[in-house]
Amino acid sequence: MSMPSGKIESRDWDEISQVVADAYFPHTLTPRTPVRTDCAFPRSTGEGPVRIARLGWGADVSIRSDHPGAYGVNIPVSGRLDSVVGGREVSSLPGTATVCPPDTDTRIPHWAASCEIIGVRFDHEYLEREMHRILARPDRPLPSQVDLSAPAGTTWMRFVESLSDQMEGPNCLLQNDLVADQLLSAVTTAFVLAAVPDDPEGTEGAVAARPRIVKRVIDALHGDPAHRWTAGEMAEQAGVSVRRLQEGFRQYVGRSPTQYLNDIRLVRARDDLLAADPGDTVTAVALRWGFAHTGRFAATYRSRFGVSPSSALRTT
């Protein structure tokens, strides 16, 4: 993945605007103060249905965009972001986020030099599909602003900030396509759970609590544990929302669906290690069963089975 990073050393607003458009969204830029040589500093995860960009101009500008084909979620990390989204005024400070729907006129009349944002871009069809999977209802609208001070919002914000902070690092997990897909899917699920309020009690809980709903997902996980399961896909198997599926697993299994899946994978990995062919490595086995971080895999394996995976491999 290409990752534009660092400050743009240019006095050409057209060049600066194009770099920012490539990192996040096409837009119309109007400078309000003279350009500086270190004006904008975009960093981005690059292409894909979900991308994260960190943007600041270092100068006062105004922006206009209709966010073609994708949602934009603008999270101020400093300063104040005043937007007019589809004719509605939305003001966000750190601790809140502005949601810009696709193909909807959005104006930021005064983006101050002091305002820096983390922007999360979700392709329209991708987010709508994931919302249907996660919420089990296709008709839940996104709000114009998301409260990031509530527990779900705070968790999502910390996750996004962590990924944003890694974008310039030499060991950034987002540079590994396999890991990046999983991380950005988790960003999507966490965003939907933070942005869309839970259903009123009783509308879906009775269905989710039925053991057959949980068993349907358990059977699917056992059938293909190496698949890169997302929370939305598991919920789709059950025909309920992610929240309701998690409640059902807690009630009948005592663990989350993800914890249950990881346990299946650990057992399959142990079986492979104990029956390994010459030339097999711990890393190869870990990746085969969906463990992208080998150090974390080794620690979890030791905790579960009392020996390291390398010791299990040596016994074969």
Side-chain angles (χ1 to χ4, degrees), residues 77-100:
V77 293
S78 64
R80 177 190 181 103
L81 189 69
D82 294 322
S83 308
V84 181
V85 183
R88 178 177 180 179
E89 295 183 4
V90 183
S91 294
S92 291
L93 292 165
T96 56
T98 300
V99 178
C100 306

Side-chain angles (χ1 to χ4, degrees), residues 206-227:
V207 176
R210 294 176 185 169
R212 66 178 180 82
I213 297 296
V214 173
K215 184 178 183 301
R216 188 182 302 163
V217 177
I218 287 175
D219 289 345
L221 299 182
H222 277 283
D224 191 5
H227 177 72

Side-chain angles (χ1 to χ4, degrees), residues 54-70:
R54 190 153 187 151
L55 300 172
W57 297 94
D60 291 0
V61 301
S62 65
I63 297 288
R64 188 165 197 155
S65 175
D66 60 3
H67 299 89

